[in-house]
Amino acid sequence: QVQLVESGGGLVQAGGSLRLSCAASRSSFSIATMGWYRQAPGKQRDLVATVTKGGSTNYADSVKGRFTISRDNAKNTVYLQMNSLEPEDTAVYYCNANYASWGRYWGQGTQVTVSS
């Protein structure tokens, strides 16, 4: 019902930057809390950042000051600007849409690899 498609992942050197995008198919995008999560091999999926429908943001301690989440409701898209990337940031990054009434939906994930 809600389709999320991530893009922008890739391979970068430590200290580099990437910008991830997540495009949502649903017209009710603007009422959802949007988030980015990541999962490294053999580990659980962890929160990276969220942005509410009102624009309030929240970040994991490990990415504060380096990552910025934003949304463009007119384009049904949420972004994650990642600067000063570290090898520890290597993971599959997943887009998430959280609706209070409808539940949570996930994208397919995009690989981010940071080399040292």
Side-chain angles (χ1 to χ4, degrees):
Q1 188 173 17
V2 178
Q3 298 182 29
L4 305 173
V5 180
E6 302 100 330
S7 62
L11 173 64
V12 297
Q13 292 184 332
S17 298
L18 284 173
R19 184 178 177 85
L20 305 183
S21 299
C22 173
S25 63
R26 195 174 181 89
S27 61
S28 56
F29 170 87
S30 62
I31 70 173
T33 293
M34 302 299 299
W36 287 97
Y37 293 71
R38 66 187 182 186
Q39 186 170 23
K43 298 185 178 180
Q44 68 179 25
R45 188 174 300 182
D46 293 326
L47 172 72
V48 176
T50 60
V51 56
T52 70
K53 58 186 179 183
S56 179
T57 58
N58 184 59
Y59 297 92
D61 289 340
S62 59
V63 306
K64 286 181 179 178
R66 300 188 297 120
F67 291 10
T68 302
I69 189 171
S70 61
R71 65 193 297 164
D72 187 338
N73 290 339
K75 297 181 178 179
N76 290 347
T77 302
V78 63
Y79 305 95
L80 185 69
Q81 178 66 47
M82 304 185 293
N83 299 325
S84 301
L85 283 163
E86 305 167 354
E88 292 75 18
D89 297 317
T90 295
V92 177
Y93 284 69
Y94 295 91
C95 180
N96 172 261
N98 189 3
Y99 297 89
S101 299
W102 305 334
R104 295 188 293 180
Y105 298 84
W106 297 92
Q108 83 288 348
T110 184
Q111 177 70 47
V112 172
T113 303
V114 184
S115 63
S116 60

